[in-house]
Amino acid sequence: MREAMTGVALKSRDSKPLGRPRGRSSSETRDLIIQAAKHCLVEKGYGGTTLKDVATLAGITRAAIYPYFASKPELYAAVFEEAVSVLADVYQQAIDLNGSLKDKLRLVLKAAAQLHEQQTDDTAILATIPIELRRHAELAELLVDGQSRFTALQNELFEQAASSGELPSKYDADDLLLTFIGGSMGMALLQYGSGIGSMSRSTELLLELID
């Protein structure tokens, strides 16, 4: 099991579950639950993860989760929102950047590589969301706001390239989105699962190929 990436220590699976930890604030407890959920979701997927699994890893009782998240779908939505928020901000920076498509892609891809190396579970969550949505349709409504914002930012970035003439006319924004974002997420998943290579070095190589 990978270590939590936020500095909030997770309990071992063998630890005895506790109630809400004494001396920990509400926000710290919420963050602890989210970090534990990320680990479980990456290791077991949405279908295989239970609130009991999350509570055991976090070192709290299952009942201690409910003041923060009333159900597993709500917890998954919170995990998604946290994972997507950092990249959404980077996409907005790229959109606002007075530069070429290559400059914008460089900003986005380097940020994605940094996120992967600092918070590996986040990129694994983002990469597997399309699969989880196909398997669990009930999640779609809960994720709609976050997905809409993220998709709108991605579309705006690549539509900029199409309208500026930087994209060959036979391709559209969707083609660009699938090629570069799909490729980046694919690298992240492969590196996460196999442990081979470096996400940063692979991103640099991809950027050299773009140049």
Side-chain angles (χ1 to χ4, degrees):
M1 182 64 63
R2 300 173 186 268
E3 294 295 326
M5 306 304 294
T6 62
V8 180
L10 301 182
K11 297 292 184 180
S12 164
R13 289 187 182 279
D14 297 326
S15 299
K16 182 179 179 180
L18 307 172
R20 175 178 171 177
R22 294 180 180 179
R24 181 173 285 132
S25 69
S26 178
S27 62
E28 288 174 331
T29 301
R30 184 181 186 277
D31 187 58
L32 180 68
I33 294 169
I34 288 178
Q35 299 312 314
K38 284 181 186 178
H39 284 276
C40 291
L41 289 165
V42 171
E43 294 293 327
K44 298 184 175 183
Y46 178 80
T49 295
T50 67
L51 292 182
K52 182 179 179 181
D53 293 330
V54 175
T56 299
L57 185 57
I60 60 177
T61 64
R62 175 174 171 172
I65 293 178
Y66 292 116
Y68 302 91
F69 306 102
S71 64
K72 185 170 75 168
E74 286 190 17
L75 177 54
Y76 184 83
V79 168
F80 167 73
E81 289 289 344
E82 181 174 294
V84 81
S85 63
V86 175
L87 282 183
D89 290 342
V90 173
Y91 271 93
Q92 187 61 63
Q93 292 173 29
I95 290 167
D96 296 338
L97 181 67
N98 184 20
S100 66
L101 173 62
K102 291 180 182 179
D103 294 331
K104 296 173 188 288
L105 287 176
R106 185 172 286 104
L107 175 64
V108 169
L109 293 177
K110 283 189 173 183
Q114 184 177 26
L115 177 66
H116 175 76
E117 294 183 342
Q118 293 179 349
Q119 301 185 54
T120 310
D121 285 343
D122 285 37
T123 52
I125 291 290
L126 291 174
T128 55
I129 277 176
I131 298 172
E132 297 292 11
L133 288 178
R134 289 181 68 88
R135 292 175 176 170
H136 308 281
E138 71 274 12
L139 295 175
E141 185 174 349
L142 287 171
L143 303 187
V144 66
D145 290 341
Q147 277 197 305
S148 295
R149 179 195 175 204
F150 197 41
T151 300
L153 289 170
Q154 290 175 323
N155 287 340
E156 184 175 355
L157 176 63
F158 294 120
E159 284 170 4
Q160 279 184 345
S163 62
S164 67
E166 294 181 87
L167 185 64
S169 58
K170 63 180 179 179
Y171 301 111
D172 59 23
D174 285 345
D175 296 324
L176 198 55
L177 174 65
L178 182 60
T179 300
F180 289 101
I181 304 309
S184 177
M185 286 299 183
M187 286 195 304
L189 267 184
L190 179 59
Q191 202 284 325
Y192 181 93
S194 66
I196 64 172
S198 159
M199 188 65 183
S200 291
R201 287 178 58 81
S202 295
T203 298
E204 289 292 344
L205 175 58
L206 179 60
L207 289 170
E208 286 188 26
L209 293 174
I210 293 173
D211 290 336

